[in-house]
C-alpha cells in the first residue's frame, strides 16, 4: 500500500540514516526473513512480481549502504534531494555503540571478545590457526578463512579495531592497489591478527612478504 | 463512554469466541463492568464459552422489537461484573440482518452502559461482520500461525479497507474508481490501487480517505501458538502491516495452544478461571495489560470508541 518504490534505502531497511554497519546487516537479514518467499509473515500478501521487486530493492539497499563509497554518494544524493538532513547524516555513523556479533544479547565489546576466545579454544580452530602460522607466507584468504571459521563479521573487526571495511576487504583479497601505506598496513594487520588470536608480528611480517611477492 | 473491541479475523475456528470470552473474564475480574456481545448471529456460541447452557433472552428480542433498549437483553453470567448479550436464540432468518437492523444494533452498542464491550464476530467477510468490526477504531484481528489463517487475516484487512473506502467515497465514486482497477486476487495490490487512483484523480477526497484510514489502530492476536513457530512472527506481521497499509497495527501477543481449552469448554468451565496458571491464561492476561496500556496512553479519538461511520 504505502509505496515502497518511493522509499529510500534507509526506509527500506528501516534503519536510521546514521546506522552502523552492524545495524544495517542485521536489518538486512531481518528484511529477508520477512519478505523472503517462504516467510509466513507475508504469506499471500504480495504478488510474485511485487515480492521480487521488494527483494531486489532490499538487496540494492544493502549493497549500497554497506559500501562506504557508495553510501556516501547516496547520502549526498539524499541531501541534494532534500530527503535527509545533513546533520543526521554526517553525525559520524561509525561512532555509535552497536551490538557486536549481531547476537541480541551480546551488546558490548567484552562479550564479543569472550565469544571469540571461546570459539578459538575449539580444536578445529586451533588446528586452522596452527596451519596458518606454520606457512611461510600468509595470504589474505588465510585470514579470511580463519575469521569466518570463528564466526566474525568484517563489521565486528571494524567495530572493535576501527579498521575500515574497505581496507579489511583489500587485506583479505590481497588487493595491494587498495591497501594503505606500509606503516598503516602493519598496524592494521597486527590489530586484525590480535582479534584472531594469532601472533601479530608473525602475521604482519608474513603477510607483507607475501604481498611484496605478489606485487612483482 | 465504553471501550468497544470487536474480535474478528476472517477464518472460522481460530478462537475468536474463546478470546472474546476469556478477555472478558479477565477484564471483569479486575473490577471493570464488561459485556460480551455475540454478533455471530448464524453461529452463536459465545454463551458456551462462559459456561452457560440456557439463555433466557438476547439479541432476538431486540431485533424483533419485543424490547426497545438493547440494555434490556443483557444477561448476567456466573462471573461477577461480566454480562452477555447472546444470540443463541436468533433464528436463521434473523442472521441475515438488513442494513437498517445492522445500523440499529451498532447505534445501540455504543450506548451500552459498560466499560468494556467485546464483540464476538462470525467468520468471513460479509458486510455485517465488516461493519461491526469497523464500529470501533480498535478492532482485534485473531489469527493462528498457519498460512491459511495468515492469508485470511490479510484478506480480512483488505475487505475492511474496501468497505471503508466505499463508505467514505460513496457508492457512485467507488464504482467510478474501482472500474479503473484491475481486480486480481492480491489483497494488497487491489486496495492500494483503488486508493492511489483516488489520490490521483481527486486528491482532496484521497486525503480524507487517508485520514480516515489512519484513525484505525488495528490489533491482532496470534492464537493457538506453538513453540515451533518463530516467536517473532507477530512482530514481523506488525512491522509489515505498518509499513504497507495506511493504518496503525499493534501486535498484542501470542496465546499458546493448550489442549485443556477444549476440555474446559466441555466441562463448562471458563478456561482462564480453571487453568489460571497455564501458559495460555498468562498470555491472555498479558494481552489485557497491553490493551489497558493503550487506553491510558492514547488520545481520545483512538480509544476504542464508536464514532459514526
Ligand atoms: N489457544 C487454544 N488452544 C487450544 N485450542 C483452542 C485455542 N483457542 C481455541 N481453541 C479451540 O478451537 C476451537 C474453535 O475456537 P472458537 O470457537 O473460539 O473459534 P472461532 O474463531 O470463534 O470460530 P467460529 O468462526 O466458528 O466462530 C475451540 O473449540 C477450541 O477448542
Ligand atoms: Mg466463534
Amino acid at each position: 500500500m504505502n509505496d515502497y518504490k518511493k522509499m529510500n534505502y534507509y526506509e527500506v531497511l528501516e534503519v536510521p540514516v546514521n546506522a552502523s554497519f552492524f545495524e544495517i546487516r542485521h536489518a538486512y537479514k531481518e528484511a529477508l526473513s520477512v519478505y523472503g518467499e517462504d516467510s509466513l509473515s507475508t504469506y499471500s500478501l504480495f504478488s510474485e512480481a511485487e515480492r521480487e521487486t521488494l527483494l531486489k530493492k532490499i538487496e540494492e539497499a544493502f549493497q549500497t549502504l554497506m559500501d562506504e563509497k557508495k553510501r556516501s554518494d547516496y547520502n549526498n544524493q539524499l541531501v541534494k534531494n532534500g530527503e535527509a538532513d545533513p546533520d543526521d547524516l554526517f553525525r559520524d555513523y561509525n561512532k555509535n555503540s552497536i551490538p557486536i556479533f549481531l547476537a541480541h544479547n551480546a551488546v558490548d565489546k567484552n562479550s564479543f571478545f569472550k565469544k571469540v576466545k571461546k570459539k578459538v579454544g575449539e580444536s578445529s580452530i586451533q588446528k586452522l590457526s596452527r596451519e596458518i602460522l606454520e606457512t611461510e607466507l600468509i595470504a589474505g584468504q588465510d585470514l579470511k578463512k580463519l575469521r569466518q571459521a570463528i564466526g566474525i563479521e568484517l563489521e565486528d573487526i571494524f567495530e572493535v579495531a576501527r579498521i575500515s571495511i574497505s581496507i579489511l576487504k583489500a587485506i583479505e583479497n590481497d588487493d595491494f592497489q587498495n591497501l594503505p601505506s606500509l606503516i598503516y598496513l602493519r598496524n592494521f594487520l597486527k590489530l586484525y591478527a590480535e582479534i584472531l588470536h594469532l601472533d601479530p608480528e608473525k602475521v604482519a611480517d608474513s603477510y607483507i612478504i607475501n604481498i611484496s611477492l605478489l606485487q612483482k | 463512554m465504553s471501550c468497544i473491541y470487536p474480535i474478528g479475523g476472517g477464518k472460522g475456528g481460530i478462537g475468536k469466541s474463546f478470546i472474546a470470552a476469556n478477555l472478558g473474564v479477565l477484564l471483569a475480574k479486575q473490577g471493570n463492568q464488561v459485556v460480551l456481545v455475540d454478533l455471530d448471529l448464524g453461529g452463536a456460541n459465545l454463551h458456551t464459552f462462559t459456561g452457560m447452557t440456557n439463555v433466557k433472552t438476547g439479541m432476538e428480542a431486540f431485533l424483533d422489537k419485543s424490547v426497545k433498549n438493547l440494555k434490556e437483553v443483557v444477561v448476567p453470567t456466573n462471573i461477577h461484573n461480566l454480562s452477555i448479550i447472546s444470540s443463541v436464540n436468533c433464528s436463521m432468518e434473523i442472521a441475515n440482518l438488513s442494513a437498517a437492523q445492522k445500523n440499529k444494533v451498532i447505534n445501540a452498542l455504543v450506548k451500552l452502559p459498560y466499560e468494556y464491550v467485546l464483540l464476538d464476530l462470525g467468520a468471513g467477510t460479509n458486510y455485517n461482520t465488516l461493519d461491526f468490526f469497523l464500529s470501533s477504531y480498535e478492532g482485534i484481528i485473531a489469527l493462528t500461525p498457519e498460512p491459511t489463517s495468515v492469508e485470511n487475516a490479510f484478506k480480512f484487512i483488505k475487505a475492511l479497507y474496501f468497505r471503508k473506502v466505499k463508505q467514505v467515497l460513496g457508492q457512485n465514486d467507488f464504482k467510478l474508481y474501482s472500474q479503473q482497477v484491475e481486480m486480481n486476487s492480491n489483497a494488497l495490490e487491489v486496495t492500494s490501487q483503488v486508493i492511489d487512483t483516488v489520490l490521483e484523480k481527486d486528491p482532496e477526497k484521497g486525503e480524507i480517505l487517508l485520514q480516515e484510514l489512519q484513525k484505525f489502530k488495528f490489533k491482532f492476536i496470534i492464537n493457538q501458538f506453538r513453540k515451533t513457530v518463530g516467536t517473532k512472527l507477530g512482530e514481523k506481521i506488525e512491522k509489515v502491516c505498518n509499513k504497507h497499509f495506511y493504518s496503525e497495527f499493534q501486535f498484542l501477543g501470542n496465546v499458546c495452544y493448550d489442549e485443556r481449552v477444549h476440555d474446559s469448554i466441555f466441562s463448562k468451565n471458563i478456561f482462564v478461571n480453571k487453568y489460571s496458571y497455564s501458559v495460555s491464561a498468562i498470555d491472555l492476561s498479558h494481552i489485557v495489560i497491553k490493551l489497558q496500556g493503550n487506553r491510558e496512553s492514547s488520545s481520545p479519538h483512538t480509544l476504542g470508541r464508536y464514532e459514526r461511520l
Side-chain angles (χ1 to χ4, degrees):
Chain A
M1 311 251 358
N2 278 328
D3 199 350
Y4 56 84
K5 289 178 201 102
K6 289 183 208 132
M7 290 181 191
N8 69 41
Y9 290 155
Y10 294 101
E11 287 165 338
V12 166
L13 293 182
E14 294 181 65
V15 291
V17 285
N18 61 350
S20 68
F21 293 118
F22 287 108
E23 288 171 303
I24 292 166
R25 183 182 286 275
H26 183 67
Y28 169 68
K29 285 185 180 162
E30 189 78 12
L32 289 186
S33 81
V34 169
Y35 293 98
E37 243 165 74
D38 46 6
S39 162
L40 183 55
S41 56
T42 51
Y43 184 82
S44 83
L45 189 59
F46 304 108
S47 67
E48 224 169 279
E50 261 187 311
R51 192 182 291 278
E52 229 164 74
T53 316
L54 269 160
L55 286 171
K56 212 172 127 207
K57 182 121 188 188
I58 289 165
E59 196 60 42
E60 260 171 42
F62 179 62
Q63 294 302 340
T64 306
L65 300 187
M66 285 306 278
D67 183 303
E68 276 148 301
K69 173 81 175 59
K70 285 187 197 158
R71 183 174 180 182
S72 126
D73 291 347
Y74 183 73
N75 286 351
N76 289 333
Q77 198 61 43
L78 286 183
V79 172
K80 220 156 117 202
N81 299 346
E83 279 185 66
D85 185 344
D87 286 351
D88 291 338
L89 276 175
F90 301 128
R91 191 184 311 141
D92 188 353
Y93 50 74
N94 302 336
K95 296 242 166 70
N96 288 351
S97 109
I98 24 241
I100 286 178
F101 234 50
L102 299 174
H104 301 297
N105 46 3
V107 288
D108 55 36
K109 293 185 187 185
N110 276 344
S111 64
F112 167 74
F113 287 126
K114 257 192 220 147
K115 238 174 165 166
V116 171
K117 197 168 172 193
K118 186 159 167 251
K119 188 82 193 172
V120 166
E122 289 178 13
S123 63
S124 63
I125 302 288
Q126 292 210 327
K127 183 162 171 271
L128 196 57
S129 306
R130 256 199 321 275
E131 280 167 13
I132 291 174
L133 288 177
E134 278 164 9
T135 50
E136 279 297 296
L137 305 169
I138 294 179
Q141 57 175 320
D142 296 326
L143 300 173
K144 183 175 179 179
K145 198 165 148 200
L146 181 60
R147 170 178 70 76
Q148 287 176 334
I150 301 174
I152 301 174
E153 302 279 357
L154 284 181
E155 297 85 44
D156 292 316
I157 300 185
F158 165 79
E159 209 46 47
V160 293
R162 294 283 153 210
I163 309 172
S164 81
I165 305 270
S166 52
I167 289 178
L168 287 167
K169 277 188 179 157
I171 290 176
E172 291 191 344
N173 294 330
D174 297 326
D175 176 7
F176 45 79
Q177 286 178 347
N178 287 310
L179 284 174
S181 63
L182 193 59
I183 186 154
Y184 284 110
L185 178 60
R186 252 199 100 75
N187 245 331
F188 290 154
L189 284 167
K190 279 158 68 178
L191 283 168
Y192 187 168
E194 251 175 75
I195 292 171
L196 301 182
H197 288 238
L198 294 175
D199 175 352
E201 293 296 335
K202 163 91 183 147
V203 168
D205 290 344
S206 308
Y207 183 92
I208 289 167
I209 297 171
N210 189 45
I211 277 285
S212 65
L213 290 174
L214 284 175
Q215 221 167 359
K216 273 173 198 156
Chain B
M1 235 320 174
S2 57
C3 237
I4 302 181
Y5 291 119
I7 296 150
K11 200 164 188 299
I14 50 178
K16 298 180 290 293
S17 306
F18 166 71
I19 288 170
N22 285 280
L23 287 184
V25 171
L26 291 172
L27 285 164
K29 279 181 146 182
Q30 291 183 336
N32 300 295
Q33 293 297 320
V34 184
V35 63
L36 300 169
V37 185
D38 196 341
L39 289 172
D40 188 356
L41 302 183
N45 60 10
L46 189 58
H47 59 289
T48 309
F49 284 87
T50 64
M52 298 165 86
T53 34
N54 54 5
V55 186
K56 292 214 171 59
T57 184
M59 194 58 89
E60 71 288 344
F62 181 66
L63 291 172
D64 70 16
K65 299 190 180 131
S66 39
V67 306
K68 256 190 113 171
N69 198 324
L70 188 60
K71 217 165 53 178
E72 296 168 54
V73 302
V74 175
V75 173
T77 68
N78 294 329
I79 309 282
H80 187 55
N81 291 334
L82 183 71
S83 304
I84 186 170
I85 297 177
S86 171
S87 294
V88 66
N89 299 322
C90 284
S91 67
M92 269 306 168
E93 302 90 76
I94 294 183
N96 300 307
L97 288 185
S98 68
Q101 278 180 315
K102 173 190 65 197
N103 289 334
K104 184 180 153 186
V105 172
I106 292 177
N107 285 320
L109 285 173
V110 212
K111 298 194 193 110
L112 285 172
Y114 291 82
E115 283 160 281
Y116 289 93
V117 179
L118 303 186
L119 313 180
D120 179 25
L121 304 186
T125 54
N126 70 49
Y127 286 170
N128 288 344
T129 305
L130 295 176
D131 288 347
F132 287 141
F133 195 88
L134 291 170
S135 69
S136 158
Y137 284 122
E138 299 201 63
I140 299 171
I141 296 165
L143 62 147
T144 61
E146 285 126 26
T148 44
S149 175
V150 173
E151 182 169 11
N152 270 287
F154 285 139
K155 280 205 176 120
F156 188 70
I157 297 170
K158 170 209 153 186
L160 290 171
Y161 266 49
F162 244 74
R163 186 73 182 146
K164 194 70 202 173
V165 170
K166 230 174 184 173
Q167 279 172 356
V168 176
L169 290 181
Q171 196 66 39
N172 288 341
D173 272 8
F174 182 78
K175 254 200 186 130
L176 181 72
Y177 291 115
S178 55
Q179 267 166 9
Q180 306 172 25
V181 167
E182 199 188 312
M183 293 290 169
N184 61 21
S185 60
N186 189 285
L188 199 59
E189 257 172 322
V190 178
T191 319
S192 72
Q193 280 172 19
V194 171
I195 294 171
D196 285 350
T197 315
V198 180
L199 275 171
E200 192 187 311
K201 303 267 151 97
D202 187 348
E204 219 168 289
K205 212 159 212 174
E207 266 317 305
I208 296 175
L209 188 54
L210 279 188
Q211 276 173 18
E212 203 48 44
L213 295 175
Q214 278 163 2
K215 284 186 195 162
F216 286 95
K217 289 182 121 189
F218 295 115
K219 328 217 161 292
F220 66 97
I221 293 173
I222 299 183
N223 188 31
Q224 306 189 25
F225 185 78
R226 285 178 161 92
K227 282 275 148 17
T228 47
V229 183
T231 45
K232 285 169 81 186
L233 178 64
E235 276 92 17
K236 285 181 182 171
I237 295 179
E238 175 185 86
K239 216 173 177 183
V240 162
C241 287
N242 280 318
K243 195 159 176 177
H244 296 279
F245 289 105
Y246 293 112
S247 312
E248 191 180 319
F249 287 79
Q250 185 189 26
F251 173 49
L252 291 177
N254 297 314
V255 179
C256 269
Y257 180 88
D258 189 331
E259 278 174 8
R260 291 170 294 181
V261 168
H262 184 259
D263 304 341
S264 70
I265 301 168
F266 251 85
S267 59
K268 304 208 165 48
N269 284 302
I270 293 169
F271 181 78
V272 288
N273 269 359
K274 173 108 199 239
Y275 303 104
S276 55
Y277 294 107
S278 64
V279 175
S280 309
I282 292 168
D283 288 342
L284 283 159
S285 63
H286 285 153
I287 288 173
V288 166
I289 292 169
K290 206 152 180 186
L291 273 179
Q292 289 175 327
N294 289 335
R295 229 194 146 178
E296 272 152 29
S297 62
S298 60
S299 57
H301 89 258
T302 56
L303 293 177
R305 286 173 184 165
Y306 173 73
E307 279 189 26
R308 276 213 66 82
L309 298 172

